Protein backbone atom coordinates (compact mmCIF):
# COMPACT_ATOMS: atom_id res chain seq x y z
CA UNK A 1 0.00 0.00 0.00
CA UNK A 2 1.24 3.51 -0.82
CA UNK A 3 1.03 6.28 1.78
CA UNK A 4 0.11 9.89 1.01
CA UNK A 5 -1.22 12.89 2.89
CA UNK A 6 -2.80 16.24 2.29
CA UNK A 7 -3.58 19.32 4.35
CA UNK A 8 -6.84 21.20 4.25
CA UNK A 9 -6.65 24.81 5.34
CA UNK A 10 -9.18 27.53 4.46
CA UNK A 11 -6.21 29.88 4.05
CA UNK A 12 -5.14 27.96 0.91
CA UNK A 13 -7.92 29.56 -1.14
CA UNK A 14 -7.55 29.55 -4.93
CA UNK A 15 -10.82 31.14 -6.11
CA UNK A 16 -14.57 30.65 -5.80
CA UNK A 17 -15.97 27.48 -7.35
CA UNK A 18 -17.25 28.60 -10.76
CA UNK A 19 -20.55 27.02 -11.72
CA UNK A 20 -19.51 27.33 -15.36
CA UNK A 21 -16.77 24.76 -14.75
CA UNK A 22 -19.58 22.24 -15.14
CA UNK A 23 -20.60 23.07 -18.69
CA UNK A 24 -21.09 20.58 -21.52
CA UNK A 25 -21.62 20.73 -25.26
CA UNK A 26 -24.37 19.82 -27.74
CA UNK A 27 -23.24 19.74 -31.37
CA UNK A 28 -25.18 18.78 -34.46
CA UNK A 29 -23.02 15.69 -34.77
CA UNK A 30 -24.03 12.04 -34.94
CA UNK A 31 -26.89 11.34 -32.52
CA UNK A 32 -26.23 14.15 -30.05
CA UNK A 33 -29.22 16.23 -31.14
CA UNK A 34 -31.43 13.78 -33.07
CA UNK A 35 -32.26 10.71 -30.92
CA UNK A 36 -30.11 12.35 -28.21
CA UNK A 37 -31.87 15.40 -26.77
CA UNK A 38 -34.65 15.39 -29.41
CA UNK A 39 -36.76 12.45 -30.57
CA UNK A 40 -40.43 13.30 -31.11
CA UNK A 41 -41.58 9.68 -31.41
CA UNK A 42 -39.85 8.50 -28.25
CA UNK A 43 -42.06 7.16 -25.40
CA UNK A 44 -40.67 9.83 -23.03
CA UNK A 45 -40.89 12.71 -25.55
CA UNK A 46 -42.55 15.86 -24.26
CA UNK A 47 -44.79 18.23 -26.26
CA UNK A 48 -41.68 19.70 -27.97
CA UNK A 49 -40.20 16.32 -28.88
CA UNK A 50 -37.50 16.44 -26.18
CA UNK A 51 -36.63 13.19 -24.46
CA UNK A 52 -37.61 13.50 -20.81
CA UNK A 53 -35.25 10.69 -19.82
CA UNK A 54 -32.33 12.73 -21.24
CA UNK A 55 -33.60 15.93 -19.62
CA UNK A 56 -33.69 14.13 -16.25
CA UNK A 57 -30.16 12.79 -16.67
CA UNK A 58 -28.90 16.22 -17.76
CA UNK A 59 -30.29 17.72 -14.56
CA UNK A 60 -28.81 14.89 -12.50
CA UNK A 61 -25.43 15.44 -14.17
CA UNK A 62 -25.53 18.98 -12.80
CA UNK A 63 -24.77 20.75 -16.05
CA UNK A 64 -24.43 24.54 -15.83
CA UNK A 65 -23.85 25.79 -19.41
CA UNK A 66 -24.27 24.07 -22.78
CA UNK A 67 -22.26 25.16 -25.80
CA UNK A 68 -24.18 24.91 -29.10
CA UNK A 69 -24.39 24.17 -32.12
CA UNK A 70 -20.72 23.20 -32.71
CA UNK A 71 -17.91 22.33 -32.97
CA UNK A 72 -16.75 21.82 -36.51
CA UNK A 73 -20.42 21.83 -37.56
CA UNK A 74 -20.81 25.55 -36.82
CA UNK A 75 -18.21 26.56 -39.43
CA UNK A 76 -20.60 25.67 -42.27
CA UNK A 77 -23.88 26.40 -40.48
CA UNK A 78 -26.59 28.80 -41.66
CA UNK A 79 -28.51 29.45 -38.47
CA UNK A 80 -31.55 30.79 -40.38
CA UNK A 81 -32.14 27.25 -41.74
CA UNK A 82 -33.15 26.22 -38.23
CA UNK A 83 -35.96 28.73 -37.57
CA UNK A 84 -39.61 28.91 -38.58
CA UNK A 85 -42.04 26.07 -39.32
CA UNK A 86 -40.13 22.81 -39.09
CA UNK A 87 -41.76 21.35 -42.21
CA UNK A 88 -40.39 24.10 -44.44
CA UNK A 89 -36.81 24.05 -43.17
CA UNK A 90 -34.18 22.97 -45.71
CA UNK A 91 -31.95 19.92 -45.40
CA UNK A 92 -28.29 20.76 -45.99
CA UNK A 93 -25.01 18.99 -46.44
CA UNK A 94 -22.95 19.06 -43.27
CA UNK A 95 -19.41 18.98 -44.64
CA UNK A 96 -17.75 18.74 -41.23
CA UNK A 97 -19.23 15.31 -40.42
CA UNK A 98 -20.30 14.19 -43.90
CA UNK A 99 -23.99 14.05 -42.98
CA UNK A 100 -27.30 15.61 -43.91
CA UNK A 101 -28.56 18.19 -41.44
CA UNK A 102 -32.39 18.20 -41.41
CA UNK A 103 -32.62 21.42 -39.36
CA UNK A 104 -35.49 20.15 -37.22
CA UNK A 105 -33.74 21.60 -34.20
CA UNK A 106 -32.44 25.16 -34.36
CA UNK A 107 -31.74 27.98 -31.97
CA UNK A 108 -35.36 28.36 -30.75
CA UNK A 109 -35.69 24.67 -29.94
CA UNK A 110 -32.27 24.60 -28.32
CA UNK A 111 -33.09 27.52 -26.03
CA UNK A 112 -36.42 25.91 -25.13
CA UNK A 113 -34.58 22.68 -24.29
CA UNK A 114 -31.97 24.61 -22.27
CA UNK A 115 -34.69 26.28 -20.17
CA UNK A 116 -36.27 22.89 -19.46
CA UNK A 117 -32.89 21.42 -18.53
CA UNK A 118 -32.10 24.43 -16.33
CA UNK A 119 -28.85 25.20 -18.19
CA UNK A 120 -27.38 28.40 -19.60
CA UNK A 121 -27.06 28.35 -23.41
CA UNK A 122 -23.65 29.34 -24.82
CA UNK A 123 -23.87 30.02 -28.56
CA UNK A 124 -21.16 29.77 -31.19
CA UNK A 125 -21.27 31.84 -34.38
CA UNK A 126 -19.97 30.72 -37.75
CA UNK A 127 -16.71 32.47 -38.60
CA UNK A 128 -15.75 29.81 -41.14
CA UNK A 129 -18.03 30.40 -44.13
CA UNK A 130 -19.64 33.51 -42.64
CA UNK A 131 -18.71 36.68 -40.82
CA UNK A 132 -19.70 39.84 -38.96
CA UNK A 133 -23.13 40.33 -40.52
CA UNK A 134 -24.47 36.86 -39.81
CA UNK A 135 -23.18 37.04 -36.23
CA UNK A 136 -25.08 40.31 -35.80
CA UNK A 137 -28.21 38.80 -37.33
CA UNK A 138 -28.38 35.86 -34.94
CA UNK A 139 -27.57 38.11 -31.98
CA UNK A 140 -30.41 40.45 -33.00
CA UNK A 141 -32.72 37.46 -33.44
CA UNK A 142 -31.86 36.10 -30.00
CA UNK A 143 -31.40 39.11 -27.77
CA UNK A 144 -33.42 42.09 -29.07
CA UNK A 145 -36.90 42.28 -27.59
CA UNK A 146 -38.88 43.21 -30.71
CA UNK A 147 -39.37 45.93 -33.31
CA UNK A 148 -36.67 44.86 -35.79
CA UNK A 149 -36.65 42.39 -38.65
CA UNK A 150 -34.91 39.52 -36.83
CA UNK A 151 -36.42 40.09 -33.40
CA UNK A 152 -39.95 40.28 -34.85
CA UNK A 153 -39.27 37.05 -36.69
CA UNK A 154 -38.34 35.35 -33.41
CA UNK A 155 -41.57 36.59 -31.85
CA UNK A 156 -43.51 35.38 -34.92
CA UNK A 157 -41.80 32.00 -34.51
CA UNK A 158 -43.27 31.70 -31.04
CA UNK A 159 -40.54 33.06 -28.75
CA UNK A 160 -42.06 36.22 -27.33
CA UNK A 161 -39.31 36.79 -24.78
CA UNK A 162 -35.75 37.35 -26.01
CA UNK A 163 -33.44 34.38 -25.54
CA UNK A 164 -31.01 36.63 -23.62
CA UNK A 165 -27.89 34.65 -24.47
CA UNK A 166 -24.92 36.18 -22.68
CA UNK A 167 -21.97 34.01 -23.70
CA UNK A 168 -20.85 33.64 -27.34
CA UNK A 169 -17.98 31.77 -29.00
CA UNK A 170 -16.43 33.56 -31.96
CA UNK A 171 -16.12 30.55 -34.26
CA UNK A 172 -14.62 27.15 -33.52
CA UNK A 173 -11.06 25.77 -33.77
CA UNK A 174 -10.08 28.20 -36.52
CA UNK A 175 -6.43 27.08 -36.16
CA UNK A 176 -7.29 23.59 -37.45
CA UNK A 177 -6.66 22.81 -41.13
CA UNK A 178 -9.75 20.54 -41.01
CA UNK A 179 -11.96 23.52 -40.16
CA UNK A 180 -14.17 24.90 -42.92
CA UNK A 181 -12.82 28.40 -43.49
CA UNK A 182 -9.57 27.70 -41.60
CA UNK A 183 -7.57 30.89 -41.10
CA UNK A 184 -4.17 32.13 -40.04
CA UNK A 185 -3.96 33.62 -36.56
CA UNK A 186 -3.82 37.17 -37.96
CA UNK A 187 -6.81 36.62 -40.26
CA UNK A 188 -8.84 35.06 -37.49
CA UNK A 189 -7.74 37.55 -34.83
CA UNK A 190 -8.87 40.47 -37.01
CA UNK A 191 -12.19 38.81 -37.83
CA UNK A 192 -12.80 37.91 -34.17
CA UNK A 193 -12.03 41.47 -33.10
CA UNK A 194 -14.31 43.00 -35.75
CA UNK A 195 -17.13 40.57 -34.98
CA UNK A 196 -16.81 41.19 -31.25
CA UNK A 197 -16.71 44.96 -31.69
CA UNK A 198 -19.90 44.89 -33.76
CA UNK A 199 -21.67 42.43 -31.42
CA UNK A 200 -20.92 44.72 -28.48
CA UNK A 201 -22.62 47.58 -30.33
CA UNK A 202 -25.82 45.57 -29.92
CA UNK A 203 -25.07 44.36 -26.40
CA UNK A 204 -21.97 45.66 -24.57
CA UNK A 205 -22.48 43.18 -21.74
CA UNK A 206 -21.84 40.03 -23.79
CA UNK A 207 -19.11 37.61 -22.72
CA UNK A 208 -17.09 36.66 -25.79
CA UNK A 209 -14.72 33.75 -26.36
CA UNK A 210 -11.93 33.86 -28.95
CA UNK A 211 -10.70 30.55 -30.37
CA UNK A 212 -7.42 29.42 -28.91
CA UNK A 213 -5.63 26.30 -30.10
CA UNK A 214 -7.54 23.11 -30.76
CA UNK A 215 -4.85 21.25 -28.83
CA UNK A 216 -1.48 21.87 -27.21
CA UNK A 217 0.21 19.72 -29.86
CA UNK A 218 -0.86 21.98 -32.73
CA UNK A 219 2.22 23.34 -34.55
CA UNK A 220 0.95 26.91 -34.07
CA UNK A 221 0.23 26.48 -30.34
CA UNK A 222 1.39 29.49 -28.34
CA UNK A 223 2.01 31.71 -31.35
CA UNK A 224 -1.67 31.33 -32.27
CA UNK A 225 -2.90 32.59 -28.87
CA UNK A 226 -0.42 35.47 -28.89
CA UNK A 227 -1.32 36.69 -32.39
CA UNK A 228 -5.07 36.29 -31.93
CA UNK A 229 -4.96 38.20 -28.65
CA UNK A 230 -2.75 40.94 -30.11
CA UNK A 231 -5.64 41.61 -32.49
CA UNK A 232 -8.60 40.96 -30.20
CA UNK A 233 -7.46 41.39 -26.57
CA UNK A 234 -9.67 44.35 -25.71
CA UNK A 235 -12.72 42.88 -27.44
CA UNK A 236 -12.85 39.44 -25.83
CA UNK A 237 -13.20 38.01 -22.33
CA UNK A 238 -11.94 34.48 -22.88
CA UNK A 239 -9.50 32.51 -24.96
CA UNK A 240 -10.54 28.89 -25.50
CA UNK A 241 -8.61 25.66 -24.93
CA UNK A 242 -9.60 22.27 -26.35
CA UNK A 243 -8.05 18.94 -25.31
CA UNK A 244 -8.92 15.28 -25.77
CA UNK A 245 -7.05 12.41 -24.14
CA UNK A 246 -6.87 8.66 -24.74
CA UNK A 247 -4.93 5.65 -23.54
CA UNK A 248 -2.26 4.97 -26.16
CA UNK A 249 -0.50 1.63 -26.71
CA UNK A 250 -1.75 0.20 -23.42
CA UNK A 251 0.12 2.86 -21.40
CA UNK A 252 -2.42 3.21 -18.60
CA UNK A 253 -0.04 5.02 -16.22
CA UNK A 254 0.49 7.91 -18.68
CA UNK A 255 -3.21 8.02 -19.49
CA UNK A 256 -4.17 8.35 -15.83
CA UNK A 257 -1.75 11.28 -15.61
CA UNK A 258 -3.19 13.10 -18.66
CA UNK A 259 -4.31 16.00 -16.45
CA UNK A 260 -0.59 16.90 -16.33
CA UNK A 261 -0.92 17.98 -19.96
CA UNK A 262 -4.08 19.94 -19.17
CA UNK A 263 -2.29 21.65 -16.26
CA UNK A 264 0.66 22.66 -18.52
CA UNK A 265 -1.72 23.71 -21.30
CA UNK A 266 -3.60 26.07 -18.96
CA UNK A 267 -0.36 27.51 -17.54
CA UNK A 268 0.98 28.22 -21.05
CA UNK A 269 -2.21 29.88 -22.28
CA UNK A 270 -2.54 31.99 -19.12
CA UNK A 271 1.09 33.18 -19.43
CA UNK A 272 0.61 33.96 -23.11
CA UNK A 273 -2.54 35.97 -22.40
CA UNK A 274 -0.79 37.84 -19.58
CA UNK A 275 2.22 38.51 -21.80
CA UNK A 276 -0.04 40.13 -24.40
CA UNK A 277 -1.74 42.05 -21.60
CA UNK A 278 1.62 43.46 -20.51
CA UNK A 279 2.63 44.37 -24.07
CA UNK A 280 -0.66 46.14 -24.71
CA UNK A 281 -0.60 47.76 -21.26
CA UNK A 282 -4.13 46.45 -20.81
CA UNK A 283 -5.80 46.42 -17.42
CA UNK A 284 -8.32 43.62 -17.73
CA UNK A 285 -7.40 39.93 -17.75
CA UNK A 286 -8.48 37.45 -20.40
CA UNK A 287 -9.46 34.14 -18.79
CA UNK A 288 -9.65 30.61 -20.17
CA UNK A 289 -12.80 28.93 -21.43
CA UNK A 290 -11.81 25.23 -21.61
CA UNK A 291 -14.77 24.63 -23.84
CA UNK A 292 -13.94 21.19 -25.22
CA UNK A 293 -12.33 18.56 -23.01
CA UNK A 294 -12.82 14.85 -22.50
CA UNK A 295 -11.49 11.38 -23.14
CA UNK A 296 -11.85 10.61 -26.84
CA UNK A 297 -10.19 7.76 -28.75
CA UNK A 298 -9.51 10.15 -31.61
CA UNK A 299 -6.64 8.18 -33.14
CA UNK A 300 -8.94 5.15 -33.51
CA UNK A 301 -11.56 7.35 -35.20
CA UNK A 302 -8.95 8.85 -37.53
CA UNK A 303 -7.58 5.41 -38.43
CA UNK A 304 -11.11 4.15 -39.20
CA UNK A 305 -11.78 7.19 -41.38
CA UNK A 306 -8.49 6.74 -43.23
CA UNK A 307 -9.32 3.06 -43.88
CA UNK A 308 -12.88 3.73 -44.89
CA UNK A 309 -13.58 7.36 -45.80
CA UNK A 310 -17.20 8.35 -45.16
CA UNK A 311 -19.62 7.63 -47.99
CA UNK A 312 -23.15 8.92 -48.41
CA UNK A 313 -24.82 11.71 -46.44
CA UNK A 314 -26.86 10.03 -43.68
CA UNK A 315 -29.03 11.86 -41.15
CA UNK A 316 -27.82 11.51 -37.54
CA UNK A 317 -25.75 8.34 -37.95
CA UNK A 318 -23.99 6.89 -34.88
CA UNK A 319 -20.66 8.74 -34.73
CA UNK A 320 -17.99 8.97 -32.00
CA UNK A 321 -20.07 6.74 -29.70
CA UNK A 322 -17.37 5.91 -27.18
CA UNK A 323 -18.19 3.30 -24.53
CA UNK A 324 -16.29 4.54 -21.49
CA UNK A 325 -14.66 2.22 -19.01
CA UNK A 326 -13.62 2.78 -15.40
CA UNK A 327 -10.12 4.03 -16.28
CA UNK A 328 -11.67 6.63 -18.61
CA UNK A 329 -13.84 7.83 -15.72
CA UNK A 330 -10.80 8.13 -13.45
CA UNK A 331 -8.99 10.14 -16.15
CA UNK A 332 -12.05 12.40 -16.42
CA UNK A 333 -12.01 12.80 -12.62
CA UNK A 334 -8.37 13.89 -12.83
CA UNK A 335 -9.25 16.47 -15.51
CA UNK A 336 -12.06 17.84 -13.32
CA UNK A 337 -9.61 18.19 -10.42
CA UNK A 338 -7.28 20.15 -12.69
CA UNK A 339 -10.07 22.45 -13.88
CA UNK A 340 -11.04 23.13 -10.26
CA UNK A 341 -7.41 23.69 -9.21
CA UNK A 342 -7.20 26.38 -11.90
CA UNK A 343 -10.47 28.12 -11.07
CA UNK A 344 -8.66 31.44 -10.68
CA UNK A 345 -8.15 31.60 -14.46
CA UNK A 346 -10.28 28.83 -15.97
CA UNK A 347 -13.66 30.38 -15.34
CA UNK A 348 -15.69 28.36 -17.86
CA UNK A 349 -15.41 24.84 -19.28
CA UNK A 350 -17.47 22.43 -21.37
CA UNK A 351 -17.09 18.69 -21.37
CA UNK A 352 -17.53 17.51 -24.95
CA UNK A 353 -20.20 16.33 -25.45
CA UNK A 354 -23.49 15.66 -23.58
CA UNK A 355 -25.33 12.77 -25.25
CA UNK A 356 -24.19 9.84 -27.43
CA UNK A 357 -21.22 11.64 -28.99
CA UNK A 358 -18.18 11.15 -26.67
CA UNK A 359 -20.71 11.58 -23.93
CA UNK A 360 -21.63 10.83 -20.31
CA UNK A 361 -25.24 10.02 -21.37
CA UNK A 362 -26.08 7.29 -23.90
CA UNK A 363 -29.41 6.57 -25.54
CA UNK A 364 -30.98 3.94 -27.75
CA UNK A 365 -33.17 5.39 -30.51
CA UNK A 366 -36.69 4.74 -29.30
CA UNK A 367 -35.34 3.03 -26.20
CA UNK A 368 -33.34 3.34 -23.00
CA UNK A 369 -30.97 6.01 -21.72
CA UNK A 370 -28.16 5.36 -19.25
CA UNK A 371 -25.17 6.84 -17.43
CA UNK A 372 -21.72 6.04 -18.79
CA UNK A 373 -18.87 5.64 -16.30
CA UNK A 374 -17.69 9.22 -16.94
CA UNK A 375 -21.09 10.52 -15.82
CA UNK A 376 -20.23 9.90 -12.18
CA UNK A 377 -17.15 12.05 -11.51
CA UNK A 378 -18.80 14.94 -13.32
CA UNK A 379 -22.08 14.60 -11.42
CA UNK A 380 -20.34 14.31 -8.05
CA UNK A 381 -17.98 17.23 -8.70
CA UNK A 382 -20.85 19.40 -9.87
CA UNK A 383 -23.05 18.44 -6.92
CA UNK A 384 -20.47 18.72 -4.15
CA UNK A 385 -17.99 21.42 -5.26
CA UNK A 386 -19.19 24.52 -3.49
CA UNK A 387 -17.89 27.73 -1.92
CA UNK A 388 -14.14 28.15 -2.41
CA UNK A 389 -11.57 25.96 -4.14
CA UNK A 390 -8.65 25.09 -1.82
CA UNK A 391 -5.16 23.86 -2.66
CA UNK A 392 -4.43 20.81 -0.52
CA UNK A 393 -0.61 20.54 -0.58
CA UNK A 394 -0.47 16.78 -1.25
CA UNK A 395 2.56 14.76 -0.19
CA UNK A 396 2.54 11.77 -2.51
CA UNK A 397 4.73 9.00 -3.85
CA UNK A 398 5.83 9.70 -7.42
CA UNK A 399 5.72 7.45 -10.47
CA UNK A 400 7.67 7.65 -13.72
CA UNK A 401 5.45 7.81 -16.83
CA UNK A 402 6.49 7.58 -20.47
CA UNK A 403 4.51 10.64 -21.51
CA UNK A 404 4.82 13.03 -18.58
CA UNK A 405 7.92 12.00 -16.65
CA UNK A 406 7.49 11.80 -12.86
CA UNK A 407 3.96 12.41 -11.64
CA UNK A 408 2.41 12.20 -8.15
CA UNK A 409 0.17 9.17 -7.64
CA UNK A 410 -2.26 11.30 -5.66
CA UNK A 411 -4.06 14.08 -7.57
CA UNK A 412 -6.44 16.09 -5.38
CA UNK A 413 -8.26 19.32 -4.65
CA UNK A 414 -10.80 20.45 -2.05
CA UNK A 415 -13.70 22.86 -1.91
CA UNK A 416 -15.16 24.43 1.19
CA UNK A 417 -18.37 26.27 1.99
CA UNK A 418 -19.72 27.31 5.39
CA UNK A 419 -20.84 23.79 6.33
CA UNK A 420 -19.02 21.20 4.27
CA UNK A 421 -15.51 20.59 2.96
CA UNK A 422 -15.21 18.12 0.10
CA UNK A 423 -12.01 16.46 -1.08
CA UNK A 424 -11.85 15.10 -4.63
CA UNK A 425 -8.97 12.67 -5.09
CA UNK A 426 -7.68 10.31 -7.75
CA UNK A 427 -5.32 7.42 -7.07
CA UNK A 428 -3.32 7.09 -10.31
CA UNK A 429 -1.58 3.92 -9.17
CA UNK A 430 -2.37 1.00 -11.45
CA UNK A 431 -1.38 -1.69 -8.98
CA UNK A 432 -1.73 -0.64 -5.36
CA UNK A 433 -4.14 1.12 -3.02
CA UNK A 434 -3.03 4.40 -1.52
CA UNK A 435 -3.65 5.23 2.12
CA UNK A 436 -4.50 8.92 2.34
CA UNK A 437 -4.15 10.75 5.65
CA UNK A 438 -6.05 14.03 5.84
CA UNK A 439 -4.83 16.81 8.10
CA UNK A 440 -7.98 18.88 8.62
CA UNK A 441 -6.96 20.56 11.93
CA UNK A 442 -7.37 24.04 10.44
CA UNK A 443 -11.09 23.35 9.96
CA UNK A 444 -11.68 22.83 13.70
CA UNK A 445 -13.97 19.98 14.72
CA UNK A 446 -15.01 17.92 11.68
CA UNK A 447 -17.27 14.93 11.13
CA UNK A 448 -17.06 12.56 8.19
CA UNK A 449 -20.31 12.70 6.21
CA UNK A 450 -19.42 10.29 3.48
CA UNK A 451 -16.51 8.76 1.58
CA UNK A 452 -17.27 7.22 -1.82
CA UNK A 453 -15.08 5.57 -4.40
CA UNK A 454 -15.45 4.80 -8.08
CA UNK A 455 -13.27 1.75 -8.67
CA UNK A 456 -13.43 -1.82 -9.89
CA UNK A 457 -11.10 -4.83 -10.10
CA UNK A 458 -11.62 -4.61 -13.89
CA UNK A 459 -10.41 -1.16 -14.93
CA UNK A 460 -11.91 -1.71 -18.38
CA UNK A 461 -15.44 -2.46 -17.11
CA UNK A 462 -18.19 -0.40 -18.79
CA UNK A 463 -21.85 0.45 -18.18
CA UNK A 464 -24.38 -0.75 -20.72
CA UNK A 465 -28.13 -0.42 -21.20
CA UNK A 466 -28.51 -3.90 -19.67
CA UNK A 467 -26.06 -3.27 -16.84
CA UNK A 468 -26.23 0.50 -16.33
CA UNK A 469 -24.84 0.56 -12.78
CA UNK A 470 -21.88 -1.77 -13.21
CA UNK A 471 -19.66 1.23 -12.46
CA UNK A 472 -21.08 3.74 -9.97
CA UNK A 473 -19.80 5.43 -6.82
CA UNK A 474 -20.04 3.18 -3.75
CA UNK A 475 -19.39 3.83 -0.07
CA UNK A 476 -15.70 3.40 0.69
CA UNK A 477 -15.41 0.72 3.41
CA UNK A 478 -11.75 1.55 4.23
CA UNK A 479 -12.11 4.64 6.38
CA UNK A 480 -10.79 5.54 9.83
CA UNK A 481 -11.83 8.74 11.53
CA UNK A 482 -9.23 9.43 14.23
CA UNK A 483 -6.92 10.39 12.62
CA UNK A 484 -8.77 10.70 9.34
CA UNK A 485 -7.55 8.05 6.89
CA UNK A 486 -9.11 6.79 3.70
CA UNK A 487 -7.77 3.98 1.53
CA UNK A 488 -8.10 4.82 -2.16
CA UNK A 489 -8.21 1.71 -4.37
CA UNK A 490 -5.88 1.58 -7.39
CA UNK A 491 -7.26 3.47 -10.44
CA UNK A 492 -9.98 5.24 -8.49
CA UNK A 493 -11.92 8.50 -8.22
CA UNK A 494 -12.84 9.41 -4.64
CA UNK A 495 -15.02 11.95 -2.85
CA UNK A 496 -14.64 12.61 0.89
CA UNK A 497 -17.12 14.97 2.58
CA UNK A 498 -16.60 16.52 6.00
CA UNK A 499 -18.93 18.78 8.00
CA UNK A 500 -17.66 21.46 10.38
O1 LIG B 1 -16.22 17.40 -30.14
C1 LIG B 1 -15.93 16.85 -31.40
C2 LIG B 1 -15.14 17.79 -32.28
O2 LIG B 1 -13.86 17.97 -31.72
C3 LIG B 1 -15.67 19.19 -32.42
O3 LIG B 1 -16.62 19.31 -33.42
C4 LIG B 1 -14.45 19.98 -32.77
O4 LIG B 1 -14.52 21.31 -32.33
C5 LIG B 1 -13.31 19.21 -32.14
O5 LIG B 1 -12.27 19.00 -33.00
Amino acid sequence: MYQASLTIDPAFRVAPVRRRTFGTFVEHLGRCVYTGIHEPGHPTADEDGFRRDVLDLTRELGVSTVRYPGGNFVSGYRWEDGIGPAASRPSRLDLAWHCTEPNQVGVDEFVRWARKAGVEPMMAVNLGTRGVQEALDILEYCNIESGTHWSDLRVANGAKEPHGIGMWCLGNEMDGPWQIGHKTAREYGRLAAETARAMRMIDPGLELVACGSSGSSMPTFGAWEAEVLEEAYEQVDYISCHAYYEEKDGDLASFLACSTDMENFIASVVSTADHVRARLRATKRVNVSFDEWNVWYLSRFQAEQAKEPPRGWPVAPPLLEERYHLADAVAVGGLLITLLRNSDRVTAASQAQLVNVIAPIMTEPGGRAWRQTIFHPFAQASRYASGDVLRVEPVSPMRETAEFGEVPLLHAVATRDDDVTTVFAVNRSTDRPLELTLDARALGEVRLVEATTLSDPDVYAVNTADDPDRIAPRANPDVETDPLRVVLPPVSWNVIRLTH
Side-chain angles (χ1 to χ4, degrees), residues 25 27 29 67 71-73 97 172-173 178-179 214 242 244 292 296 320 352-353 357-358:
F25 177 27
E27 176 168 6
L29 194 185
R67 184 168 173 253
N72 296 340
F73 170 80
W97 300 105
N172 176 69
E173 293 190 351
W178 59 86
Q179 201 69 215
S214 45
H242 290 182
Y244 292 101
E292 283 188 35
W296 176 14
L320 322 187
Q353 300 192 0
V357 175
I358 45 173

Side-chain angles (χ1 to χ4, degrees), residues 132-213:
V132 182
Q133 185 59 61
E134 293 87 351
L136 293 177
D137 293 346
I138 185 173
L139 178 59
E140 180 186 319
Y141 183 87
C142 289
N143 284 12
I144 294 292
E145 213 165 306
S146 62
T148 66
H149 171 77
W150 290 112
S151 59
D152 285 344
L153 199 53
R154 186 200 69 245
V155 174
N157 288 337
K160 188 163 176 303
E161 298 304 322
H163 294 328
I165 299 173
M167 198 161 174
W168 295 74
C169 302
L170 303 166
N172 176 69
E173 293 190 351
M174 299 310 300
D175 64 321
W178 59 86
Q179 201 69 215
I180 305 168
H182 165 229
K183 295 181 176 31
T184 65
R186 287 284 161 208
E187 289 166 348
Y188 169 69
R190 291 262 311 129
L191 179 58
E194 291 313 325
T195 307
R197 210 187 320 273
M199 289 174 81
R200 288 197 194 284
M201 289 176 184
I202 295 182
D203 185 346
L206 297 177
E207 290 180 76
L208 301 176
V209 186
C211 295
S213 295

